[in-house]
Every structure is written in C-alpha cells, then in structure tokens.
Amino acid sequence: MYKRQFLPLVFIEIHGTSAAFAGWVMTLGSLAWSAGALVQGQWAQRLSPGAWIAGGASLLFVGLAVSAIPLRADASLVFAFVGWGLAGVAMGLAYNASAALAMSATPPGGEGQTSSWLGLADSIGVGLATSLGGVWLALGARAEVELGTSLAGLWALALGVSVVIGVAGVRLAAARDPEA
C-alpha cells in the first residue's frame, strides 16, 4: 500500500507538522496492521481467505476515503489518524489471507518458489507504485497543480485498487464456497 510513502507529505507539506508528528500516524498504521493480522490469525478458519480479502479491501476503502479528507488544508488531521488506523487493520486482515491463499494453491514442494514470488511481487509492487506516484507528483508540481490535488489523484487510484481487490476477494470466496 504505497500511500504510506505519501501520507507524511500531507502532514508536513499541507498541514505544516513536524516529521516526528507525521511519524506517529505511520506508527499507528503499523500497530493497526499488526492488530488486524492478529485478529485474522486467531480467527482465520472462520472465514475463507477470499472473504478475509474482500472484508479487508472493503475496510481499506473506508480507511483510504477517511484518510483523504486531510488532503484539504482546512480539514482536521484526526481524519488521517482514524483513516490510517482503519487502513492498517484492513491490511492486517487481508495481507496474510492472500499469502495463505497463494500457499494453499501451491503444489507440494513448490512452497519456496511461491514464497519467493510473493516477496518479489510485494517488492516490485511497492517500488513501482511509489515510483509512479512520485512521477505523478512531479508532473503535478511542474504543471503548478496544488500538492493536495495531485495527492488526491493518488488516493483515487488507491481507492480504485481497493475496489478491484474487494471484487477479487468476493469472487474467490464464492469460488471456494458456492453456497455463500
């Protein structure tokens, strides 16, 4: 979730906070992610991986939408804390479920390869999203677009991705449990 690289810009550049203050919201997101993973790990057998992914993506959508409110300079930063906390829980619910789903579809003896591919996909995804987001912001700056407006484009993209993931999760859940 590449928003973690851009959310500090909202705090520092749009709201004028210190980098240390911006770090607190990132810490909250990390703790919330851990809490979501703990919940998912404790109750993993109660839902299919697809259901965890769909639920996590739905909560991610809400968290991203709430965390977008402070893109406006006159909005309260409380929304960023709440939204980022929700997004963190969402990632904790969905992330491990997606890895478990991939591993469950792996033939015996292929676990190492699947694990490597998952790690590679994660690294490439974050790197590519961050790079393209940086290009988007640079193009916006060059065109003299306000930072909040450029960042809103990135948030909109992230919201769209969360919808795609949610639909995929619903389809995966339905494929595994046709009675649902």
Side-chain angles (χ1 to χ4, degrees), residues 89-100:
V89 170
M91 290 300 295
L93 296 175
Y95 189 82
N96 291 340
S98 64

Side-chain angles (χ1 to χ4, degrees), residues 23-159:
W24 281 109
V25 77
M26 306 315 294
T27 301
L28 171 69
S30 297
L31 293 173
W33 184 321
S34 297
L38 179 67
V39 167
Q40 195 276 335
Q42 291 295 315
W43 297 332
Q45 301 306 315
R46 295 184 184 194
L47 297 171
S48 70
W52 284 108
I53 293 167
S58 299
L59 187 57
L60 179 61
F61 183 91
V62 172
L64 288 170
V66 172
S67 71
I69 294 170
L71 292 175
R72 292 178 44 106
D74 61 346
S76 172
L77 289 176
V78 169
F79 291 108
F81 277 93
V82 171
W84 204 242
L86 291 172
V89 170
M91 290 300 295
L93 296 175
Y95 189 82
N96 291 340
S98 64
L101 182 65
M103 294 304 282
S104 72
T106 300
E111 295 87 356
Q113 183 177 17
T114 298
S115 179
S116 295
W117 281 110
L118 286 170
L120 184 62
D122 190 33
S123 296
I124 290 173
V126 170
L128 186 61
T130 303
S131 299
L132 293 175
V135 168
W136 176 261
L137 293 180
L139 290 172
R142 187 173 193 174
E144 298 181 8
V145 174
E146 287 187 24
L147 179 61
T149 302
S150 291
L151 285 167
L154 296 179
W155 253 259
L157 179 61
L159 287 165

